[in-house]
Amino acid sequence: MTESPTSRTGGADTPHGGQNEPTGRIIFLNGTSSSGKSSIAQELLRTLDETYFHLPVDAFHAMRSRNEVSPEELPTMLRRTWRGFHRAVAGMAAGGNNVVVDHVLSEPWRLLDCLELFPPRNVVLVGVRCPLQELERREIRRGDRPVGLAGRQWDQVHAHGLYDIECDTAANSAEDCARQIKDFLPRRPAPTAFEQLRAKLRPDLPAAG
């Protein structure tokens, strides 16, 4: 049986680019700091049959020069970084690349921006869950995150309340979570969580093609 171009690039649904070039799939991992998103992303790269790129926002923050930024300037700079990150993800997918994104939807505007930019049919929205007590334990053990960061993000990160699939990283290893996501991909729902959220939260946008 001959494999179609769509299946080779991960089964994305939306054509782009004028020659039936498929838009890449975006596996969107959302959870608090220290919830295990990056570990799941690395396992997905090893587990998935198709080619994927892992785009972590931490890598974008790390690209920034180390010059001092005043407390007054910091929020604006961070917002610009996140906006650029979203557009880099959208650009990779528009080029036909499959992408794994680890994200923290701790500010409402971030989801609204992604809903405008990402092709909603091709987004698999994954809720990465972990009990707060375990998150606090991980923060102390890691030592590279401010203690209490996950707690400050806790109420907002999952406030939109809708996912295609959820993982519990306290009950399951990163490898198990990655396999759950891989097994889920062939039976993605219609409409997707992103399609439903776009219709609910961004009615100002035109219907996605």
Side-chain angles (χ1 to χ4, degrees), residues 23-45:
T23 299
R25 177 179 293 150
I26 300 172
I27 298 180
F28 190 120
L29 307 174
N30 175 54
T32 66
S33 173
S34 301
S35 61
K37 304 181 300 296
S38 295
S39 296
I40 294 173
Q42 293 300 323
E43 288 296 336
L44 282 168
L45 295 191

Side-chain angles (χ1 to χ4, degrees), residues 8-208:
R8 287 199 299 271
T9 57
D13 302 306
T14 307
H16 180 86
Q19 297 183 346
N20 293 322
E21 179 185 341
T23 299
R25 177 179 293 150
I26 300 172
I27 298 180
F28 190 120
L29 307 174
N30 175 54
T32 66
S33 173
S34 301
S35 61
K37 304 181 300 296
S38 295
S39 296
I40 294 173
Q42 293 300 323
E43 288 296 336
L44 282 168
L45 295 191
R46 285 189 279 267
T47 300
L48 294 169
D49 297 324
E50 304 88 6
T51 298
Y52 276 78
F53 292 84
H54 176 206
L55 295 187
V57 71
D58 285 350
F60 283 69
H61 289 304
M63 294 175 196
R64 193 167 52 241
S65 59
R66 300 294 93 186
N67 57 302
E68 291 290 330
V69 178
S70 71
E72 294 76 22
E73 295 173 321
L74 185 61
T76 300
M77 185 201 65
L78 291 176
R79 186 181 179 99
R80 287 200 305 263
T81 302
W82 280 99
R83 282 174 51 81
F85 170 61
H86 295 163
R87 283 150 182 79
V89 171
M92 284 291 287
N97 303 289
N98 295 318
V99 181
V100 179
V101 176
D102 58 73
H103 208 301
V104 185
L105 294 176
S106 56
E107 295 180 285
W109 76 266
R110 296 179 185 179
L111 175 58
L112 299 178
D113 198 39
C114 291
L115 289 171
E116 179 176 359
L117 294 168
F118 299 169
R121 185 181 299 175
N122 292 351
V123 177
V124 181
L125 187 55
V126 182
V128 181
R129 304 273 191 174
C130 185
L132 184 56
Q133 184 176 7
E134 172 62 14
L135 290 170
E136 292 170 342
R137 187 188 70 80
R138 291 179 185 181
E139 285 178 338
I140 294 171
R141 184 182 64 189
R142 287 177 62 161
D144 62 349
R145 295 288 188 277
V147 175
L149 177 60
R152 292 193 294 273
Q153 298 169 343
W154 180 265
D155 289 335
Q156 184 58 48
V157 167
H158 302 292
H160 58 279
L162 185 63
Y163 288 105
D164 295 311
I165 182 173
E166 298 187 39
C167 300
D168 182 344
T169 62
N172 300 281
S173 68
E175 183 179 3
D176 289 338
C177 291
R179 191 157 298 280
Q180 290 173 21
I181 295 166
K182 178 183 179 180
D183 292 345
F184 171 78
L185 293 180
R187 50 187 179 85
R188 290 184 300 144
T192 66
F194 238 62
E195 286 176 310
Q196 295 177 66
L197 289 167
R198 180 180 164 116
K200 177 182 178 181
L201 301 177
R202 295 300 310 266
D204 56 306
L205 297 175

